[in-house]
Amino acid sequence: MSRSERIRRFYDELYKKYGPQGWWPGDSPLECIVGAILTQSTSWKNVEKAISNLKGSGLLTAEMLGLVTAEELAALVRPSGYYNQKALKIKNFISFLGADYGGSLERMFTEDKSVLREKLLSIKGIGPETADSILLYAGGMPVFVVDAYTWRVLSRHGIVPAETTYAEMQEVFTDSLDEDAGLFNEYHALIVRLGKEHCKKSNPVCEGCPLEFDPHFV
Ligand code: SF4
């Protein structure tokens, strides 16, 4: 099987086993963006607590996030960890949104995908995974999101070397799949599920794993 065939077969097997994952859990594009920033280095459960605090305080609008101080915001997002840095990152994003798109996410998402990606990456505290999560899950743009789970699966199956880059892993998928936001959304969510249930960091459970059929090295 070629690399592309393996990548497509992985998707089929994962989808067959787990079904649709219903990502991203957020009521609005802004909530997805804030969630994408807050989920850096923490679990989604902690993000939910922080988002619930923001909602309870009526702060989950671009206007209110622009008005609140970084200190007040940090206190509310505390459950997500690294709260001072994350509050600043949210403020940085909101400043960018105001300066470049008059505070309108609708306007922001009419931007060319590659141009917007570069702009997001230029915001302090927004790296490739967060930028791509914003583009895909908040903007519905066809951008493949790569994370530590993706690296684990691809490297254990010898599809990428252990020393690889975000861009190389992303290319593995974009070279093999149709440019389809729905497919990219589902595939990333399925990989996260796989990483949590089978392809764990220290003790991968290959037996019964949906990708057990493919040669792997653990
Ligand atoms: S077969 Fe093993 S290495 Fe491959 S994805 Fe499953 S748990 Fe990970």
Side-chain angles (χ1 to χ4, degrees):
M1 251 193 286
S2 69
R3 184 179 84 173
S4 291
E5 285 167 338
R6 289 167 77 195
I7 291 298
R8 288 194 289 270
R9 172 94 189 270
F10 283 8
Y11 178 80
D12 292 341
E13 296 299 330
L14 290 168
Y15 193 83
K16 204 163 35 173
K17 167 109 178 181
Y18 297 132
Q21 299 300 295
W23 274 38
W24 180 288
D27 292 339
S28 67
L30 183 64
E31 190 175 324
C32 288
I33 292 167
V34 170
I37 293 171
L38 294 179
T39 200
Q40 295 172 356
S41 315
T42 195
S43 71
W44 188 254
K45 216 177 341 158
N46 294 330
V47 174
E48 280 177 334
K49 288 180 202 152
I51 293 216
S52 161
N53 287 347
L54 293 175
K55 277 185 170 167
S57 309
L59 284 182
L60 213 45
T61 66
E63 194 189 347
M64 291 307 289
L65 287 172
L67 292 173
V68 71
T69 66
E71 292 72 27
E72 285 167 323
L73 188 55
L76 292 165
V77 301
R78 193 184 180 102
S80 69
Y82 302 101
Y83 47 93
N84 286 320
Q85 287 138 281
K86 287 180 181 177
L88 285 175
K89 290 176 189 186
I90 292 170
K91 295 289 287 177
N92 290 344
F93 171 78
I94 294 295
S95 299
F96 154 77
L97 183 67
D100 282 35
Y101 303 102
S104 165
L105 285 178
E106 289 78 20
R107 272 180 62 193
M108 185 182 91
F109 285 123
T110 59
E111 183 72 272
D112 172 80
K113 184 180 73 174
S114 306
V115 171
L116 180 54
R117 186 174 194 269
E118 284 312 307
K119 285 187 173 192
L120 290 172
L121 287 172
S122 71
I123 301 171
K124 196 159 180 246
I126 306 276
E129 185 184 337
T130 308
D132 289 343
S133 296
I134 290 171
L135 294 170
L136 178 64
Y137 289 105
M141 292 176 160
V143 179
F144 202 93
V145 178
V146 166
D147 65 359
Y149 294 116
T150 320
W151 171 78
R152 230 185 272 161
V153 174
L154 292 184
S155 59
R156 284 173 174 169
H157 283 258
I159 291 173
V160 296
E163 296 287 317
T164 186
T165 63
Y166 186 97
E168 277 168 358
M169 288 192 285
Q170 195 172 43
E171 257 177 48
V172 166
F173 293 93
T174 50
D175 284 354
S176 309
L177 304 168
D178 291 338
E179 200 186 43
D180 176 339
L183 172 65
F184 289 179
N185 174 327
E186 198 65 61
Y187 205 155
H188 174 67
L190 287 166
I191 289 174
V192 172
R193 176 92 179 257
L194 174 72
K196 286 183 176 161
E197 295 194 6
H198 280 278
C199 209
K200 300 173 188 196
K201 196 172 179 180
S202 333
N203 299 305
V205 186
C206 298
E207 202 179 321
C209 173
L211 304 192
E212 196 184 2
F213 71 91
D214 191 75
H216 48 280
F217 316 95
V218 288

